[in-house]
């Protein structure tokens, strides 16, 4: 075998080729590939998703097929890097990976609780809504598919869930005896306010958010900043990070996840310290933190 053949059949190339094939299988014959060879992009999404949820085991080829099956619904494009964790978790939930449903509930239970509070602020209603929403997300009759299977990575998973939760809350209240106490116009206003508030906060606090990220970055250890630079700016995978630091893949993934969490928590703490926000405003701002953090960090690292 020649040296040229060794390079062309390196593990990285073979892996990217395998992911492209799995994506194409999910896409089907009538779909259009978003890139000539999407394997490398899918590998990067997989690495970032695995770093965010290291305890949840999803096969890279399974994620590739999941993305292919939803490519048309996603506008013919792959999800952006900022949504890697969301598509990874959604894929795990669809596949029934152990721990995935519990992780989803830990991550997003507040979204359902706030949807319930908007429509009917009672603990009993919140419990009912949580049960109905989670049941609809993760189970369905034989002739239907669970709602989580409809997530294609076009928007943050938090936004996807919020729309479902608010609509379900309104429909649930319609079935209750006190439905007549709130006019239909008010229900429409509640549903519309969900996205309006998030858009307002993103515009209103963009500068404060960027500054909070800058401060949080400054409080990271040199090693944590180096990990983020190598992964987000230089594009190093977890395997390469492990080789760089001469540690195992699991250790590298754990280090990267810890650096992300420290940055996310530092940004949150800085915002809370400087801004007087209501609970719902902070919840919307937390979505902004999750959706824009990698982009903001990469921008700072280029400075």
């Amino acid at each position: 075998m020649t040296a040229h053949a060794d390079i062309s059949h390196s593990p990285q190339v073979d892996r990217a080729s395998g992911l492209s094939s799995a994506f194409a299988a999910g896409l089907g014959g009538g779909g259009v590939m978003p890139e000539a060879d999407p394997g490398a992009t899918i590998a990067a999404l997989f690495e970032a998703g695995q770093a965010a949820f290291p305890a949840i085991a999803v096969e890279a080829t399974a994620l590739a097929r999941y993305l292919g099956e939803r490519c048309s619904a996603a506008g013919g494009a792959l999800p952006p890097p900022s949504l890697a964790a969301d598509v990874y978790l959604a894929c795990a939930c669809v596949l029934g990976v152990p721990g995935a449903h519990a992780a989803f509930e830990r991550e997003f239970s507040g979204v359902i609780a706030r949807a319930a509070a908007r429509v009917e602020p009672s603990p009993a209603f919140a419990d009912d809504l949580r049960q109905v929403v989670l049941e609809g997300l993760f189970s369905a009759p034989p002739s239907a598919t669970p709602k989580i299977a409809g997530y294609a990575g076009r928007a943050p998973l938090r936004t996807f869930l919020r729309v479902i939760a608010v609509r379900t809350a309104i429909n649930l209240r319609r079935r209750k005896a006190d439905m007549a106490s709130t006019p239909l116009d008010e229900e429409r206003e509640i549903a519309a306010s969900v996205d309006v508030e998030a858009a307002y906060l993103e515009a209103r606090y963009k500068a404060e958010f960027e500054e909070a990220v800058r401060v949080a970055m400054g409080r990271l250890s040199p090693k944590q900043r180096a990990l983020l630079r190598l992964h987000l700016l230089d594009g190093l995978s977890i395997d390469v990070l492990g080789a760089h630091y001469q540690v195992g893949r699991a250790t590298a993934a754990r280090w990267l996840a810890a650096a992300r969490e420290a940055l996310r928590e530092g940004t949150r703490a800085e915002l809370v310290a400087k801004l007087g926000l209501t609970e719902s405003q902070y919840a919307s701002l937390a979505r902004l933190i999750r959706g824009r953090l990698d982009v903001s960090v990469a921008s700072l690292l280029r400075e």
Side-chain angles (χ1 to χ4, degrees):
M1 184 177 290
T2 66
H4 175 73
D6 286 338
I7 293 172
S8 65
H9 291 285
S10 68
Q12 292 87 351
V13 172
D14 287 346
R15 185 189 190 200
S17 177
L19 294 179
S20 293
S21 298
F23 180 87
L27 188 63
V32 178
M33 296 284 274
E35 304 171 15
D37 186 7
T41 302
I42 296 170
L45 290 170
F46 172 77
E47 298 284 359
Q50 191 176 57
F53 297 101
I56 299 175
V58 173
E59 293 291 334
T61 51
L63 179 64
R65 180 180 287 272
Y66 175 93
L67 292 171
E69 290 170 348
R70 290 154 183 81
C71 186
S72 296
L78 288 168
S82 61
L83 299 183
D86 285 356
V87 294
Y88 185 94
L89 181 58
C91 176
C93 289
V94 170
L95 296 175
V97 174
H101 292 179
F104 183 98
E105 190 168 356
R106 284 195 305 271
E107 194 83 5
F108 300 116
S109 60
V111 176
I112 303 174
R114 285 184 289 276
R118 284 179 179 273
V119 176
E120 184 178 315
S122 76
F125 184 81
D127 287 343
D128 288 346
L129 180 64
R130 173 184 165 278
Q131 180 178 343
V132 172
V133 169
L134 293 178
E135 191 173 285
L137 279 170
F138 301 139
S139 61
S143 59
T145 57
K147 289 180 181 177
I148 190 65
Y151 179 68
R154 298 185 66 180
L157 187 53
R158 186 174 299 273
T159 301
F160 174 85
L161 175 60
R162 186 166 60 241
V163 171
I164 291 174
V166 170
R167 289 175 178 170
T168 304
I170 291 173
N171 290 335
L172 185 60
R173 188 176 60 175
R174 281 176 174 165
R175 297 199 295 265
K176 292 184 175 290
D178 61 349
M179 167 55 204
S181 65
T182 302
L184 181 60
D185 286 346
E186 183 181 337
E187 291 180 350
R188 289 174 178 158
E189 184 179 345
I190 290 169
S193 70
V194 171
D195 291 330
V196 171
E197 181 177 50
Y200 165 77
L201 286 172
E202 183 164 356
R204 168 65 180 82
Y205 294 118
K206 182 179 180 182
E208 289 86 347
F209 171 76
E210 298 290 350
E211 179 59 24
V213 174
R214 187 183 299 276
V215 172
M217 277 285 291
R219 292 173 179 166
L220 295 180
S221 69
K223 179 180 174 182
Q224 288 174 322
R225 287 196 295 273
L227 280 165
L228 292 172
R229 178 186 294 275
L230 291 170
H231 184 64
L232 296 176
L233 202 57
D234 298 337
L236 269 61
S237 69
I238 293 175
D239 289 319
V240 178
L241 283 174
H244 177 78
Y245 285 100
Q246 297 184 330
V247 297
R249 190 177 192 281
T251 299
R254 187 169 63 253
W255 285 356
L256 183 59
R260 285 179 182 275
E261 180 57 31
L263 181 61
R264 186 182 301 121
E265 177 57 27
T267 302
R268 184 202 66 79
E270 186 68 17
L271 286 170
V272 168
K274 290 189 174 181
L275 304 175
L277 302 177
T278 65
E279 183 179 347
S280 64
Q281 285 175 329
Y282 173 71
S284 295
L285 204 58
R287 179 192 63 79
L288 175 61
I289 291 173
R290 185 180 179 86
R292 290 181 55 89
L293 197 58
D294 282 358
V295 175
S296 298
V297 171
S299 177
L300 286 174
L301 289 172
R302 291 189 185 98
E303 295 180 355

